[in-house]
Amino acid sequence: MEQIRFRPQILTLLQRMQDGRCLLAVNLNGDSYQFNSALLEINTEQGYLVLDELKPNTGHELFLQQQRCRVRTSLKGITVSFIVTLISSGQENGIAYYRVALPDSISYGQRRAHFRPKVSRAFNTEVQLDLPGGDTISGTLQDISLGGLRIKADRELIDLTAGTPLTCRFQIPGGESIECSLDLRFFSRNDHGCQLGGQFQRLDPLQRRALQKFITLLERDAIRKSPREGT
């Protein structure tokens, strides 16, 4: 990842994000959950950005408490991420917004091959995984890309080992059923329950096209649910 510290370059990247109405993935320290936002304003004279209300709105109070978060998005397939510090927050028409300090640096590069949009409740999707030994578990899809997915398991699980091969089955809402191999990449247990993340193996062209349509739909849905166009 290249670290960009030259202010004009930083402002150019931020402007591209705003012009492209890029979906922002927001992570708060110590919380594995991913929230969504959007860049509403760039104020170069006073040195701040305005971010839209975090979705789901459970992230709002967490951000007010921590006053710091990492923001990530994708510009034409290139991962862009930076850390912002909260200056103030407010509301307009009942929707929260946040003034944050312009970042001192931006990480720019291809950290992950595919950007993973979050799956909203409107696209609630059940995933089934066949575990070693013949056991099968179900979970709810949390995010997905052409590279892999993350699910929240419906029940408590014992520890699993990264690299374990799994068989994965799910149906794209309004679309076809997908069955493929998945390599387990992480497994965690916390207050949000058990979460698993895996990397797809050997997707065929039809599956890739179906997934890409679903991913594009998720990204557009998240942007549509960010009702503010500006401040």
Side-chain angles (χ1 to χ4, degrees):
M1 298 287 283
E2 178 186 1
Q3 289 295 319
I4 297 175
R5 304 182 187 277
F6 186 47
R7 187 180 177 92
Q9 286 183 285
I10 290 174
L11 293 175
T12 297
L13 285 173
L14 292 171
Q15 191 64 59
R16 287 173 58 193
M17 290 165 49
Q18 185 181 28
D19 292 344
R21 300 182 69 227
C22 292
L23 176 67
L24 305 183
V26 177
N27 289 98
L28 297 166
N29 185 38
D31 195 303
S32 60
Y33 203 77
Q34 178 177 288
F35 302 92
N36 291 326
S37 184
L39 177 56
L40 303 178
E41 180 185 343
I42 304 169
N43 191 311
T44 57
E45 292 184 359
Q46 298 184 40
Y48 68 78
L49 309 175
V50 177
L51 301 183
D52 202 2
E53 183 176 50
L54 297 188
K55 300 291 185 182
N57 57 17
T58 51
H60 176 72
E61 291 298 329
L62 285 174
F63 188 29
L64 296 186
Q65 292 172 13
Q66 297 186 15
Q67 300 188 6
R68 185 178 172 90
C69 68
R70 175 170 289 279
V71 177
R72 189 183 72 253
T73 190
S74 179
L75 284 173
K76 295 184 178 180
I78 303 298
T79 300
V80 178
S81 68
F82 52 92
I83 294 174
V84 295
T85 302
L86 182 67
I87 298 174
S88 63
S89 66
Q91 285 196 355
E92 185 172 311
N93 298 324
I95 301 170
Y97 62 87
Y98 316 99
R99 287 190 178 91
V100 300
L102 278 170
D104 295 326
S105 66
I106 288 182
S107 297
Y108 182 80
Q110 193 73 31
R111 174 173 292 177
R112 173 180 277 171
H114 306 284
F115 183 61
R116 291 188 184 181
K118 179 178 168 53
V119 180
S120 69
R121 292 182 180 178
F123 298 96
N124 184 50
T125 304
E126 181 180 288
V127 180
Q128 291 188 325
L129 296 175
D130 293 339
L131 303 180
D135 193 13
T136 298
I137 64 163
S138 296
T140 304
L141 186 63
Q142 303 295 295
D143 59 49
I144 190 168
S145 75
L146 289 177
L149 52 70
R150 176 172 61 93
I151 73 166
K152 180 179 180 182
D154 291 341
R155 60 181 172 86
E156 188 74 13
L157 297 170
I158 61 172
D159 290 339
L160 297 172
T161 304
T164 300
L166 308 169
T167 298
C168 170
R169 295 184 300 276
F170 62 97
Q171 182 168 0
I172 294 174
E176 66 180 81
S177 297
I178 302 289
E179 179 170 345
C180 60
S181 298
L182 191 77
D183 277 356
L184 185 67
R185 290 303 186 210
F186 77 85
F187 170 77
S188 65
R189 288 184 292 182
N190 52 37
D191 293 340
H192 298 295
C194 295
Q195 300 207 20
L196 301 89
Q199 181 177 7
F200 292 131
Q201 302 295 314
R202 297 180 297 279
L203 290 175
D204 64 43
L206 290 177
Q207 290 176 325
R208 291 181 66 85
R209 282 198 291 271
L211 282 178
Q212 185 59 68
K213 289 181 181 180
F214 183 35
I215 291 163
T216 300
L217 183 63
L218 293 174
E219 291 175 336
R220 290 175 178 171
D221 178 69
I223 292 172
R224 181 181 60 81
K225 289 178 179 178
S226 297
R228 293 170 52 88
E229 297 295 330
T231 58

